[in-house]
Each structure stands twice: as C-alpha cells, then as structure tokens.
C-alpha cells in the first residue's frame, strides 16, 4: 500500500495502544476518564484532525490483536482521507479489500485532475456509463501513446471525447499535464499551431525576469542546443513577458527586443556559472559590462540583480 496510508494507520495504532495500555482515553480539566466508562460518557472526545478515538478503538477487538485497521469501521470521511493519499496503483489494490470505498468517484476524480489538470470532458455532461476510474485508465493510456507518437496520442484523446479538436483546448491540456515526454512534446509543438496558445496561458505579471523564465521552461522544456527553436521560444516569451508587465517595461525602458537580449544573457550566464567545464566563471562586473553593451539603456543595478538571482538560485532552464 502507499506510504501515506501505512503512516497514518501506524500512527493511529500507536495512539490507540498508548491510551488503552494505560487504561485511560483522555483527560478533561485534570480528571482522568477510565476506558471502561467510555460508552457511558455523554460525548466522545475528538483527537486532532477530527479523528474519533472511539471509532479507532472499536476497530480493534483487543489491544493484543495485531493486524491492519479495517477502514470500513471508520467514519467515511476519515476513510476517504486515508485513501486519498494513495496513487492509482495502490488504490486499485485497496479496492480488492474495500471495494466500495476505493472505487468512490471522488477519489478517482481527484487522481485525474491532479495529474491531468485540464481536459475538455471535465466541462461536459458525462456520457452514460461514465466513471472517473475508467477515465483515468484512458488518460494514462493516451499519455503513454503520446510519449511514443504525439499525433496518435492526441488523436486517441479526441476519439475518446477527452479533448476537443481545438488548439486552445490542446494547449490547456499540455499546460496542465506533467506526464508528457518533453522531447515528444517539442516534436508536436514544431508540427502543430499550438505554441502561441500555450505561451498565452502563462501569466508573468509582477515576476522577476529570471523567475518568469524558469516558470516558462518548466512548462516548455528548453532545447539542449541553440537554434531556431530556442530563438522562437525566447521571442514568444519576451513578447508575453512585456504584455504581462506593461508598467514595468515603461519604467525600465525595456522593449521585447531588450528582454530577448536579457534572456539570452541569462541563459549564457546560467551555463557559465553552473557548468563544471567552465573554470573561470564570469564575474558580476563582466556580466554587467557585456549585457549593457548589447542593451545600453538598461540600468546597472537591474543587471546586477539579474546576476545575483542566477548566482543564488541557479540555472534558468534547469
């Protein structure tokens, strides 16, 4: 089972043994309540996190009995909380023991949306016989297909009604999904008119330029070599960054071309400072001098802050 489930269950067992071993369940205003009088109390005390100690103790016939806690004996909300820590594989295994609990639609809906944040089918009326467990299997199958052949993967999603045949919908799906192979994704973006919509989904408002560039490359992986594709990415990023920060651009006197130059400078500086093959690292003074030669209207303090960010945080495209 998942580590979260075992950890929670083990903590509950230790908590139960600690109380029942001493013959007491809790204290109330300095007065101990005997364990054999629990059933006579007017109310049961709740442990932290809303866990009902009475229900935890009820799942064990005696303190000497060993074994795993039966989730069906717990309050439903507590059982679902425990199961929500599981991944899809462990949840399928749990359904062999607790079929009704582990097959709950809310659990599988959470798994779908945590892995594939956007699908067109989420916003539609579900067809007859729809289940999120079945949808999860289809999404997983489609992702594996995409990582082998991007076109076939997207066609699979469309054939199952998961995605609409729209660049915006495909862009949202890519933006909110982390299971797609970045090399296959690059092939798909090169061949399809989706990149513009994908870039538009980014919101760089009030973000420092290196941090915005890191966020951009987390969604659209930077190529390993310089070339036309990298230039295209940086060009689109520069225009999007300026569109999200018009006031800042006016204050600093920056244009999309100036941001383009700064992005290239940040990438080169990242390689210089992080590569073990570069022995003589670029100094802050050198970076300021070289950058201001390419973009003369940029202030020295601003370029210095760029250097500090790379030096302290690291590569913008790692």
């Amino acid at each position: 089972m998942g580590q979260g489930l075992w950890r929670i269950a083990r903590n509950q067992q230790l908590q139960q043994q600690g109380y029942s071993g001493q013959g007491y369940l809790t204290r109330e205003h300095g007065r101990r309540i005997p364990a054999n009088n629990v059933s006579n109390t007017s109310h049961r005390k709740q442990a932290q996190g809303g866990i009902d100690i009475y229900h935890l103790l009820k799942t064990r016939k005696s303190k000497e009995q060993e074994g795993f806690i039966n989730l069906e004996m717990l309050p439903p909300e507590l059982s679902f909380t425990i199961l929500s820590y599981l991944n899809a594989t462990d949840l399928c295994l749990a359904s062999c023991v607790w079929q009704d609990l582990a097959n709950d639609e809310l659990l599988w809906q959470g798994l779908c949306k945590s892995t594939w944040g956007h699908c067109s089918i989420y916003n539609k009326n579900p067809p007859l016989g729809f289940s999120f467990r079945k949808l999860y299997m289809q999404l997983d199958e489609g992702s594996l297909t995409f990582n082998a052949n991007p076109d076939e993967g997207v066609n699979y999603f469309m054939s199952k009604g998961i995605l609409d045949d729209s660049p915006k919908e495909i862009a949202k799906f890519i933006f909110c999904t982390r299971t797609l192979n970045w090399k296959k994704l690059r092939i798909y973006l090169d061949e399809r008119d989706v990149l513009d919509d994908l870039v538009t989904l980014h919101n760089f408002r009030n973000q420092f330029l290196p941090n915005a560039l890191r966020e951009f490359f987390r969604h659209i992986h930077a190529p390993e070599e310089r070339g036309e594709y990298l230039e295209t990415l940086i060009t689109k990023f520069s225009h999007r960054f300026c569109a999200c920060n018009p006031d800042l651009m006016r204050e600093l006197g920056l244009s999309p071309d100036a941001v383009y130059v700064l992005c290239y400078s940040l990438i080169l500086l990242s390689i210089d400072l992080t590569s073990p093959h570069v022995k003589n690292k670029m100094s802050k003074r050198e970076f300021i001098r070289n950058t201001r030669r390419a973009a003369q209207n940029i202030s020295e303090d601003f370029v210095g802050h760029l250097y500090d960010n790379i030096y302290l945080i690291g590569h913008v495209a790692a």
Side-chain angles (χ1 to χ4, degrees):
M1 290 293 173
Q3 293 182 357
L5 177 58
W6 286 107
R7 183 171 60 253
I8 291 176
R10 182 56 179 161
N11 289 341
Q12 293 171 353
Q13 290 175 353
L14 292 175
Q15 185 181 35
Q16 173 190 341
Q17 292 172 358
Y19 281 111
S20 60
Q22 298 174 12
Y24 296 94
L25 287 178
T26 184
R27 290 175 178 267
E28 183 177 14
H29 305 296
R31 179 174 60 87
R32 291 184 174 181
I33 302 176
N36 56 4
N37 290 335
V38 172
S39 58
N40 297 327
T41 56
S42 60
H43 65 278
R44 307 185 188 100
K45 288 294 182 179
Q46 300 289 324
Q48 289 184 355
I51 300 175
D52 193 328
I53 297 176
Y54 171 78
H55 284 286
L56 294 178
L57 293 176
K58 187 179 178 181
T59 61
R60 301 287 294 274
K61 294 181 179 179
S62 65
K63 69 177 183 179
E64 293 84 8
Q65 180 182 357
E66 298 295 335
F68 194 76
I69 290 178
N70 186 0
L71 296 184
E72 293 179 345
M73 300 295 294
L74 299 177
E77 60 274 13
L78 179 56
S79 300
F80 288 134
T81 300
I82 294 173
L83 291 174
S84 67
Y85 283 83
L86 303 182
N87 57 32
T89 302
D90 291 339
L91 196 56
C92 287
L93 294 174
S95 66
C96 299
V97 182
W98 306 291
Q99 185 173 2
D100 292 338
L101 290 173
N103 287 329
D104 187 82
E105 280 289 274
L106 289 177
L107 291 174
W108 287 98
Q109 180 181 2
L111 282 175
C112 288
K113 293 188 175 182
S114 63
T115 307
W116 299 274
H118 176 83
C119 293
S120 304
I121 197 172
Y122 292 161
N123 302 319
K124 299 178 180 179
N125 292 326
L128 186 65
F130 172 84
S131 74
F132 276 99
R133 176 170 178 166
K134 180 181 178 181
L135 177 62
Y136 184 96
M137 304 306 174
Q138 292 175 339
L139 286 167
D140 188 53
E141 177 68 21
S143 297
L144 293 174
T145 304
F146 183 97
N147 293 338
N149 187 310
D151 287 329
E152 290 185 6
V154 173
N155 290 335
Y156 176 87
F157 289 130
M158 293 179 181
S159 67
K160 299 297 183 182
I162 296 173
L163 269 183
D164 291 340
D165 189 4
S166 162
K168 290 185 177 180
E169 285 296 302
I170 297 174
K172 288 180 181 179
F173 176 79
I174 294 173
F175 184 81
C176 299
T177 301
R178 298 292 177 269
T179 59
L180 304 180
N181 181 277
W182 70 268
K183 292 183 179 180
K184 299 297 182 180
L185 180 58
R186 174 183 171 178
I187 295 174
Y188 185 80
L189 294 177
D190 277 342
E191 298 175 350
R192 296 291 182 271
D193 187 19
V194 178
L195 185 58
D196 287 338
D197 292 302
L198 186 57
V199 173
T200 304
L201 292 173
H202 291 81
N203 183 9
F204 301 124
R205 183 171 178 80
N206 295 328
Q207 290 193 33
F208 194 35
L209 180 59
N211 297 334
L213 198 56
R214 288 189 186 93
E215 179 183 332
F216 180 73
F217 284 135
R218 274 197 293 268
H219 289 92
I220 307 174
H221 202 285
E224 297 176 348
E225 71 287 341
R226 298 186 206 177
E228 183 179 350
Y229 182 66
L230 179 60
E231 292 179 3
T232 300
L233 291 181
I234 296 178
T235 300
K236 293 184 180 298
F237 167 82
S238 302
H239 283 85
R240 181 58 183 168
F241 184 82
C242 292
C244 292
N245 299 280
D247 296 336
L248 178 63
M249 296 301 101
R250 285 193 295 268
E251 180 182 344
L252 297 176
L254 296 178
S255 65
D257 290 338
V259 174
Y260 177 93
V261 171
L262 291 176
C263 289
Y264 250 115
S265 298
L266 290 171
I267 292 174
L268 295 176
L269 177 64
S270 298
I271 297 173
D272 185 278
L273 294 182
T274 60
S275 175
H277 303 293
V278 180
K279 295 183 179 180
N280 298 321
K281 305 296 184 183
M282 185 184 299
S283 67
K284 186 174 183 178
R285 186 185 299 274
E286 291 173 330
F287 177 74
I288 294 174
R289 183 179 65 248
N290 295 337
T291 303
R292 297 194 70 197
R293 284 177 182 174
Q296 298 178 358
N297 60 332
I298 302 175
S299 70
E300 182 175 335
D301 289 341
F302 180 74
V303 179
H305 291 319
L306 296 178
Y307 182 94
D308 293 338
N309 183 281
I310 303 300
Y311 184 84
L312 295 174
I313 299 179
H315 206 302
V316 292

